[in-house]
């Protein structure tokens, strides 16, 4: 497959200075990644959100490295242009720099993804530095970090300015090329976006970040869960659940009545 048009993380970093917004969405399989790439998505994230939207689990904590590699390999094979980033599952990057470098290197080697995403702020800085020093681009993830949901006491908006600033500056200094800001109060996300050299990619953090990321299944109501349970920040672009449900019912009807 020709991948000569492939974007780089350097280009993503430069988009901030150029004032060009960065589009990011998750994908977990070949056809979704192919459509996102052909539509012009800048970054395709193989998120550990697959634990919830693909595997039907309550949290992301049980997603394995093998799960991530399995999905990432399909996604990368579909992509000709976008930067592909693979979420590092719990707890490889919580175990310190050596375990993290080994796991991240395995992901990049076995999937050919562009880089990895690592959750956590100042406490994860030495790990991010080690992974970057190993030649692997890192997208950081601050604010609400779902892998630490037990310590955070639930999924809630993040409003502690001092903590947010020190985390974001720490991951920037550690060499991350961009940082996801999840569920950060919008005015604080805007302030962080002004403070940082690296692009901020918001989710539930207002429209003034340098880019936005959404979970594919939330954008298209493709999750198995009750749509009223979708995150408040998600925006629905097409109700796939309604279309597929109608199609399935029509098919069953036609088979039962013998017209198909
Ligand atoms: O796992 C994921 O999909 C993510 C995004 C929501 C940022 O981390």
């Amino acid at each position: 497959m020709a991948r000569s048009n492939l974007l780089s993380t350097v280009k993503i970093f430069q988009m901030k200075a150029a004032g060009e917004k960065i589009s990011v969405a998750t994908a977990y399989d070949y056809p979704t990644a192919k459509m996102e790439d052909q539509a012009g998505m800048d970054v395709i994230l193989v998120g550990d959100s697959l634990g919830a939207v693909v595997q039907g689990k309550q949290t992301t904590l049980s997603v394995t490295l093998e799960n991530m590699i399995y999905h990432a390999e399909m996604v990368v094979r579909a992509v000709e242009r976008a930067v592909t980033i693979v979420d590092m599952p719990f707890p490889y990057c919580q175990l310190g720099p050596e375990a993290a470098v080994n796991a991240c290197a395995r992901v990049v080697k076995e999937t050919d993804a562009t880089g990895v995403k690592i959750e956590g702020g100042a406490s994860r800085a030495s790990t991010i530095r080690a992974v970057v020093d190993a030649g692997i681009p890192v997208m950081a993830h601050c604010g609400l970090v779902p892998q630490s949901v037990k310590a955070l006491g639930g999924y809630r908006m993040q409003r502690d300015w001092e903590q947010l600033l020190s985390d974001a500056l720490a991951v920037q200094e550690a060499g991350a090329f961009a940082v996801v800001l999840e569920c950060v109060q919008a005015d604080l996300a805007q302030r962080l976006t002004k403070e940082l050299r690296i692009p901020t990619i918001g989710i539930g953090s207002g429209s003034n970040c340098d880019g936005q990321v959404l979970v594919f299944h939330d954008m298209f109501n493709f999750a198995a869960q009750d749509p009223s349970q979708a995150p408040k920040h998600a925006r629905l672009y097409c109700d796939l659940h309604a279309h597929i449900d109608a199609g399935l019912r029509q098919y069953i009807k036609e088979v039962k009545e013998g017209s198909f």
Side-chain angles (χ1 to χ4, degrees):
M1 155 129 9
R3 297 175 73 193
S4 51
N5 290 334
L6 212 57
L7 290 176
S8 67
T9 53
V10 175
K11 166 72 180 154
I12 299 299
F13 173 78
Q14 289 168 343
M15 285 169 77
K16 176 172 181 133
E20 197 182 334
K21 294 271 192 178
I22 302 160
S23 56
V24 187
T26 66
Y28 317 100
D29 58 34
Y30 184 93
T32 312
K34 178 65 76 192
M35 284 199 288
E36 290 185 3
D37 193 49
Q38 290 179 343
M41 198 70 68
D42 297 313
V43 179
I44 299 180
L45 171 66
V46 187
D48 65 355
S49 49
L50 68 85
V53 298
V54 177
Q55 297 176 332
K57 294 178 176 164
Q58 291 296 318
T59 73
T60 57
L61 294 175
S62 62
V63 174
T64 66
L65 191 62
E66 284 67 29
N67 292 159
M68 296 309 300
I69 290 172
Y70 174 77
H71 287 275
E73 199 260 333
M74 291 185 268
V75 166
V76 173
R77 195 167 333 118
V79 170
E80 290 177 45
R81 174 185 172 272
V83 162
T84 47
I85 297 295
V86 183
D87 234 349
M88 290 307 296
F90 181 78
Y92 293 91
C93 294
Q94 284 82 351
L95 293 175
E98 194 179 334
V101 170
N102 284 333
C104 294
R106 205 185 136 196
V107 165
V108 171
K109 197 175 176 73
E110 293 183 26
T111 69
D112 199 26
T114 318
V116 297
K117 178 164 81 58
I118 296 179
E119 285 190 16
S123 62
R124 211 70 76 226
S126 60
T127 292
I128 292 174
R129 168 53 61 200
V131 174
V132 170
D133 284 349
I136 300 171
V138 173
M139 174 179 271
H141 184 155
C142 296
L144 173 59
V145 277
Q147 290 175 9
S148 303
V149 64
K150 290 179 196 272
L152 291 173
Y155 298 96
R156 34 178 92 94
M157 288 302 286
Q158 304 298 301
R159 304 190 161 89
D160 181 343
W161 170 248
E162 298 302 329
Q163 180 74 53
L164 287 165
L165 182 63
S166 88
D167 282 342
L169 289 175
V171 300
Q172 172 175 273
E173 290 322 308
F177 74 89
V179 57
V180 169
L181 298 179
E182 180 163 353
C183 293
V184 171
Q185 190 174 291
D187 58 324
L188 302 183
Q190 184 173 15
R191 277 171 75 187
L192 286 175
T193 300
K194 286 195 183 125
E195 292 281 344
L196 295 177
R197 292 188 308 278
I198 58 175
T200 59
I201 310 295
I203 176 160
S205 302
S207 57
N208 289 309
C209 295
D210 298 304
Q212 297 290 330
V213 54
L214 278 179
V215 170
F216 177 87
H217 291 55
D218 294 338
M219 299 171 73
F220 298 104
N221 192 21
F222 194 42
Q225 83 242 18
D226 176 353
S228 66
Q229 303 295 309
K232 288 190 189 63
H233 57 253
R235 191 174 282 188
L236 190 61
Y237 287 89
C238 163
D239 190 347
L240 276 189
H241 184 277
H243 286 288
I244 294 173
D245 182 62
L248 290 171
R249 286 171 195 277
Q250 180 66 20
Y251 167 69
I252 292 167
K253 182 170 167 285
E254 289 173 8
V255 171
K256 297 281 182 191
E257 68 192 16
S259 65
F260 182 81

